[in-house]
Amino acid sequence: MVCRDFVVYCVVFLTFSSLSRCFPNGAPLSACESMMPRHAGVVPQSNAAPYTVEPEASVFHPGKPVRVQILGPQYNGFLLVARRDGSSTPLGSWQIPPENTQLLQCFGIARSAVTHLDTSPRNNSVTFAWVPPDSACPTAVKFVATVAQSFQIYWLNVQSHPLTKAPGITCCGVKFFSTIGIIAALFLFSFLVIGSNS
């Protein structure tokens, strides 16, 4: 009996030891689209997450950093991105992340996601800084996170409230194309005037 219990304990210990080594250094690039942590044999929780993603503001200005926090109980792992609603493509970039976290290059876009660097516990004091894009910026954006309380317990699709572009703000890309349009219109007008005087 004692021998059998010892064998069971050894199997359980070895199983959990091997599981804990799976992606302890952050989410892999393969998780960028689905946000799934790829924990073998483990599925996300189906109940409401005890976490929220809280940006400091409800509007954003292109190029101006927005502070973001994951609030709730202690957590060991996470993946955090900014996206348009209904899109998996990340938007903007993240500034130098807090201690024991790192940046990811999702879909070839530099600094487009942030994840854990190790499995040390994190709490509500951890703050991230997201920089909205200067060009082709959306009218609204959400922060989306996967939060892992442990290897076996994690939640997908933890979303913030939407951030909308500040009123009256025009992205550089829009300004550029508007300027090109105005120049083209003036050129065409000048051409017509010169042609009519000929």
Side-chain angles (χ1 to χ4, degrees):
M1 180 67 178
V2 173
C3 184
R4 188 184 65 182
D5 289 345
F6 177 75
V7 171
V8 170
Y9 290 145
C10 286
V11 170
V12 170
F13 174 78
L14 290 173
T15 300
F16 279 93
S17 295
S18 62
L19 288 177
S20 66
R21 289 193 295 268
C22 188
F23 304 122
N25 302 122
L29 290 176
S30 59
C32 286
E33 183 171 5
S34 68
M35 305 286 287
M36 290 282 288
R38 304 290 196 271
H39 291 179
V42 182
V43 296
Q45 300 296 298
S46 57
N47 60 314
Y51 302 96
T52 57
V53 180
E54 297 291 340
E56 66 177 351
S58 57
V59 299
F60 68 86
H61 296 75
K64 182 179 179 181
V66 176
R67 290 160 58 90
V68 184
Q69 291 180 297
I70 298 174
L71 301 182
Q74 272 193 347
Y75 58 98
N76 292 341
F78 70 96
L79 176 60
L80 178 63
V81 299
R83 293 174 169 176
R84 284 187 180 89
D85 199 20
S87 171
S88 61
T89 303
L91 291 170
S93 61
W94 297 88
Q95 291 187 331
I96 297 173
E99 185 179 3
N100 298 325
T101 64
Q102 62 183 324
L103 300 172
L104 286 182
Q105 185 170 313
C106 286
F107 302 101
I109 304 170
R111 308 167 68 92
S112 56
V114 62
T115 187
H116 57 281
L117 186 58
D118 58 34
T119 55
S120 58
R122 292 163 178 82
N123 55 36
N124 296 341
S125 67
V126 179
T127 302
F128 310 96
W130 175 73
V131 182
D134 280 321
S135 60
C137 58
T139 55
V141 65
K142 284 183 178 179
F143 297 104
V144 183
T146 294
V147 187
Q149 203 170 74
S150 65
F151 179 89
Q152 295 82 12
I153 302 174
Y154 68 88
W155 286 265
L156 286 177
N157 202 34
V158 182
Q159 296 190 12
S160 72
H161 62 74
L163 273 74
T164 55
K165 186 170 59 177
I169 296 297
T170 303
C171 290
C172 292
V174 176
K175 283 183 178 177
F176 174 77
F177 288 112
S178 297
T179 303
I180 292 296
I182 292 170
I183 292 173
L186 290 173
F187 178 79
L188 179 61
F189 178 76
S190 302
F191 180 78
L192 291 174
V193 169
I194 294 171
S196 65
N197 293 333
S198 300

